[in-house]
């Protein structure tokens, strides 16, 4: 499940120091389309895109967001996915472009092999997480959480363990919440498998970040 706001809303919420929300929105649009492509076509996996408004993808199943806060909306989206009959639900955001198909496959493999109460986390370098997978709902993992702080991954893991889940951790990733994250990603991605995305982002940022 790709849990996201629209690119325009993300650009207003996280302007990335680019001078205007519109420039940040263009970055998040590119990241969203990249991750949609990564998620699509995984064998035996349905891609759900959870947004608060109308669907903006014609190729994926839409899961309307509910709730009045980030934590409540994420909790309800997970519960809604389980209510559709899915046994394993993995959620990512739109700001971790280093999530790969093999990374997602590893997450589902951990959920399927761990046991009756399994969780898998892809931690982010800033203390949050880029991926969370569960094989049954756990509302406590989303309640009264200091979202946006460096404690989120640790507290989420503790909540899951307190509710009987075994938590497996994947390799930590960078998510793009500010300009420093964005620059680090562009520096790393120039010559690897993400070079096409990096070039696309650099072309969008010529005025704001001329050295890229």
């Amino acid at each position: 499940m790709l849990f996201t706001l629209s690119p325009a809303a993300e650009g207003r919420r996280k302007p990335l120091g680019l001078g205007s929300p519109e420039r940040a929105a263009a970055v998040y649009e590119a990241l969203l389309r990249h991750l949609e492509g990564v998620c699509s076509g995984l064998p035996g996996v349905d891609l759900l895109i959870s947004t608060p408004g109308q669907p903006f993808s014609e190729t994926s199943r839409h899961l309307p967001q509910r709730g009045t806060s980030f934590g409540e909306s994420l909790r309800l989206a997970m519960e809604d996915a389980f209510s559709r009959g899915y046994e394993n639900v993995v959620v990512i955001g739109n700001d971790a472009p280093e999530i790969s198909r093999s990374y997602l496959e590893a997450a589902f493999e951990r959920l399927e092999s761990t046991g009756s109460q399994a969780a898998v986390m892809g931690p982010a370098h800033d203390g949050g997480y880029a991926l969370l997978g569960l094989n049954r709902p756990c509302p406590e993992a989303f309640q009264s959480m200091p979202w946006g702080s460096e404690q989120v991954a640790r507290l989420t893991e503790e909540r899951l363990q307190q509710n009987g889940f075994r938590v497996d951790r994947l390799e930590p990733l960078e998510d793009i919440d500010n300009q420093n994250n964005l620059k680090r990603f562009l520096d790393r991605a120039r010559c690897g498998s993400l070079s096409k995305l990096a070039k696309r982002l650099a072309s969008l940022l010529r005025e704001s970040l001329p050295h890229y």
Side-chain angles (χ1 to χ4, degrees):
M1 177 169 60
L2 187 51
F3 183 86
T4 180
L5 299 176
S6 69
E10 288 284 14
R12 291 190 295 270
R13 191 169 71 94
K14 296 182 288 188
L16 302 174
L18 298 180
S20 75
E22 291 75 20
R23 290 175 183 167
V27 169
Y28 285 113
E29 172 78 22
L31 294 178
L32 176 60
R33 297 308 174 191
H34 167 74
L35 286 167
E36 184 180 6
V38 169
C39 296
S40 299
L42 280 172
V45 175
D46 291 334
L47 172 59
L48 305 177
I49 298 186
S50 178
T51 63
Q54 294 297 315
F56 49 84
S57 171
E58 298 179 355
T59 60
S60 304
R61 304 182 187 195
H62 183 236
L63 189 68
Q65 283 181 22
R66 302 185 291 128
T68 58
S69 66
F70 178 83
E72 183 183 26
S73 295
L74 182 54
R75 173 181 65 80
L76 290 170
M78 294 289 280
E79 292 176 2
D80 288 346
F82 280 113
S83 72
R84 293 191 178 193
Y86 294 106
E87 295 181 357
N88 300 304
V89 178
V90 171
V91 63
I92 64 172
N94 68 351
D95 58 358
E98 292 174 323
I99 289 176
S100 64
R101 186 163 294 188
S102 61
Y103 197 85
L104 292 169
E105 289 172 342
F108 280 105
E109 287 171 4
R110 302 283 180 91
L111 289 177
E112 291 167 359
S113 63
T114 298
S116 60
Q117 284 186 274
V120 60
M121 179 182 292
H125 289 300
D126 63 5
Y129 54 79
L131 176 151
L132 183 67
L134 302 174
N135 67 357
R136 59 180 294 181
C138 183
E140 294 83 1
F142 308 100
Q143 294 169 350
S144 302
M145 187 65 62
W147 300 106
S149 77
E150 61 186 15
Q151 305 175 64
V152 169
R154 177 182 61 80
L155 291 174
T156 300
E157 184 171 9
E158 289 177 1
R159 298 266 186 88
L160 289 166
Q161 290 171 338
Q162 289 165 2
N163 284 275
F165 285 79
R166 174 179 169 180
V167 183
D168 278 342
R169 282 194 170 222
L170 301 175
E171 175 187 357
L173 298 178
E174 187 94 69
D175 57 5
I176 297 179
D177 292 325
N178 57 55
Q179 191 176 117
N180 288 335
N181 300 148
L182 178 57
K183 288 179 177 178
R184 283 197 295 269
F185 170 73
L186 291 174
D187 288 338
R188 285 198 308 275
R190 286 176 186 276
C191 301
S193 61
L194 293 170
S195 60
K196 184 176 180 180
L197 175 62
K199 289 177 183 178
R200 168 64 178 153
L201 293 177
S203 71
L204 295 172
L205 300 171
R206 285 198 181 112
E207 292 184 16
S208 304
L209 301 175
H211 296 299
Y212 287 85

